[in-house]
Amino acid sequence: MSFQAAIAKLNTPVKELVVDFTENGTRHVGEAEKDQTEVAEWIEKAGLPDVASNANIQSLNTTLVPRTYLVNNNLTAADVAIYGALHSHFSKLQPSQYYALPSLTRFFDHIQSSPIVRPFGSAFTTVDFDIENAPAPERKVEAPKKKEKKPAAAAPPAVEEAVTETPVAVAAAAPTDKPQKTEKKEKKKKEAGAEQGGKKAAAKAPAADEGEPVPSMIDLRVGRIVDIMKHPDADGLYVEQIDIGEETGPRTVVSGLVNYIPIEDMRDKFLVAVCNLKPANMRGVKSFAMVLCATSKDGKEGGIELIQPPANAKPGDRVYFEGPEYQDGTPLSQLNPKKKIFEAIQPGFITLDSREAAWVNPTTKSVHKIRTKDGICVAPTLIGASLS
């Protein structure tokens, strides 16, 4: 089903919301053809009379457990259509009812609070959720399963053993000239294999993350928080939408900063994001980057601050390490967790007496400041702080 055919089935307020949000289907409808098909399918579901039935609500809550958005982790018309279709239902729910739908409630509140959606949703009043008093989710622990002893495998028939061992016996009993011929053949095969392997190795480019970890392998970029909320299932986590200049829209990032930085001090803030860590699931929400912060030399109790890019920085600006050996380096597309590249570099991150962020080479003790083309990145107040 096409996008236009799908929205034709929506009720008027929801249809107008989706049309305005997508500029009549020209934006937020999916980049790839597969995504566009999924978006249209979700919009079609939003137009069904039973979209808010108990079965569909429960199914949607389950679907959203590991997701922030419905299609390919990007905000699309699918999310807006489902939000609009469920608005009337959610506006009537009591706390005990939406507490029972934690993933769907998180999703609904995130969409209605999105600065990208809000300008088009004037017909949809904000639904207030009492998240602060939500009960702690119950975690069911399954009893360990008892391991049953497997019966010992039957010994293979003696004939099979004889067949298996026959080549060895023949080789041992053969005249001396035959093994020499065999060895020569094997040697030729090995030499031919080595020659072919050499050609293959020459044709294949070396892996980008080979060798010692260096800071230029880390993809740092300027970001701006365009939306933030407390994680519905974890008291100490924020769920942020961070614009890092990508056409696909903001990235979802989960940060454990609730107890250290007030939410008011996070909104609309510019920051430095680590963008090539492997995405991680944080209590049901997938995080696609990490916020770079300075932690006091006295520990977290001494304070945590966002590392700030220079005043003229824009979302997506490249952040790099000073020095000819690093400043022109190309970051890896994704850091391999098994190689512990970030973990090897991170101990050298520090803020100088000038509050400037830097990496100190542990071998040469050379200092490489962290900067954009417009200037050095700094911590607001912390000196001698570690960065992570």
Side-chain angles (χ1 to χ4, degrees):
M1 178 176 286
S2 69
F3 172 81
Q4 295 297 339
I7 63 172
K9 297 185 177 183
L10 298 174
N11 64 49
T12 301
V14 179
K15 179 180 178 181
E16 290 176 351
L17 171 65
V18 174
V19 168
D20 291 345
F21 174 70
T22 61
E23 295 181 9
N24 201 22
T26 60
R27 304 175 65 224
H28 305 302
V29 293
E31 296 294 328
E33 185 177 346
K34 175 177 176 292
D35 296 341
Q36 292 170 7
T37 301
E38 284 190 53
V39 168
E41 289 173 352
W42 279 109
I43 294 174
E44 184 182 10
K45 290 178 182 178
L48 295 175
D50 63 345
V51 63
S53 69
N54 185 60
N56 284 336
I57 289 290
Q58 293 295 339
S59 174
L60 190 54
N61 183 66
T62 302
T63 298
L64 286 165
V65 168
R67 303 186 191 180
T68 300
Y69 301 113
L70 291 169
V71 179
N72 200 17
N73 202 56
N74 292 315
L75 177 63
T76 67
D79 305 297
V80 175
I82 292 294
Y83 155 72
L86 296 181
H87 184 274
S88 176
H89 176 78
F90 261 88
S91 64
K92 300 171 185 174
L93 293 183
Q94 296 299 312
S96 60
Q97 294 173 300
Y98 58 73
Y99 288 158
L101 302 166
S103 298
L104 183 53
T105 300
R106 163 180 54 77
F107 165 83
F108 184 95
D109 193 39
H110 178 57
I111 301 304
Q112 75 169 355
S113 304
S114 171
I116 303 173
V117 178
R118 278 201 301 264
F120 307 101
S122 57
F124 296 83
T125 57
T126 300
V127 178
D128 294 322
F129 296 106
D130 183 14
I131 301 299
E132 295 293 332
N133 295 315
E138 293 182 7
R139 308 292 180 189
K140 294 182 179 180
V141 180
E142 294 183 3
K145 295 179 180 179
K146 293 182 179 179
K147 293 184 179 179
E148 295 181 1
K149 292 184 179 180
K150 294 182 180 180
V159 175
E160 291 184 6
E161 289 182 6
V163 171
T164 304
E165 294 180 3
T166 298
V168 179
V170 170
T176 54
D177 60 331
K178 287 186 179 179
Q180 288 175 354
K181 289 180 181 179
T182 304
E183 288 174 8
K184 287 179 181 178
K185 288 180 181 178
E186 291 297 326
K187 187 175 181 181
K188 286 181 180 179
K189 285 181 181 179
K190 287 181 181 179
E191 288 175 354
E195 185 179 349
Q196 290 177 357
K199 289 178 181 178
K200 288 179 181 178
K204 184 181 177 183
D209 58 358
E210 288 180 354
E212 290 296 319
V214 292
S216 54
M217 292 178 173
I218 301 171
D219 183 6
L220 299 178
R221 297 184 226 168
V222 173
R224 183 175 76 88
I225 298 174
V226 295
D227 190 22
I228 184 170
M229 63 180 288
K230 287 186 178 181
H231 194 303
D233 297 330
D235 293 339
L237 301 178
Y238 287 130
V239 179
E240 306 124 6
Q241 297 301 308
I242 299 181
D243 177 9
I244 55 171
E246 294 176 322
E247 291 183 0
T248 52
R251 289 196 190 189
T252 300
V253 180
V254 181
S255 304
L257 298 172
V258 170
N259 298 321
Y260 307 101
I261 304 178
I263 196 167
E264 295 76 18
D265 294 342
M266 295 283 287
R267 288 194 174 99
D268 297 318
K269 281 294 186 290
F270 281 80
L271 47 77
V272 175
V274 183
C275 297
N276 60 342
L277 297 173
K278 184 177 180 180
N281 200 319
M282 307 281 282
R283 297 290 290 274
V285 179
K286 209 163 193 178
S287 181
F288 291 86
M290 185 184 82
V291 174
L292 191 64
C293 294
T295 301
S296 170
K297 57 187 176 184
D298 298 321
K300 293 180 179 180
E301 294 74 17
I304 294 179
E305 298 175 342
L306 299 176
I307 291 296
Q308 298 177 342
N312 296 329
K314 298 178 181 62
D317 281 358
R318 176 174 170 258
V319 179
Y320 57 92
F321 299 83
E322 285 186 341
E325 63 269 60
Y326 305 125
Q327 62 188 20
D328 296 323
T330 302
L332 301 178
S333 58
Q334 186 177 100
L335 298 179
N336 186 340
K338 294 181 180 178
K339 302 222 171 182
K340 305 287 185 185
I341 294 171
F342 184 81
E343 291 82 353
I345 298 299
Q346 185 272 331
F349 285 155
I350 194 172
T351 57
L352 308 174
D353 290 345
S354 58
R355 297 181 287 105
E356 294 172 316
W359 177 72
V360 178
N361 188 316
T363 304
T364 64
K365 305 304 179 186
S366 57
V367 176
H368 304 270
K369 294 180 181 178
I370 300 173
R371 62 170 300 138
T372 71
K373 59 182 175 53
D374 296 313
I376 309 297
C377 301
V378 300
T381 66
L382 294 176
I383 294 171
S386 61
L387 307 184
S388 60

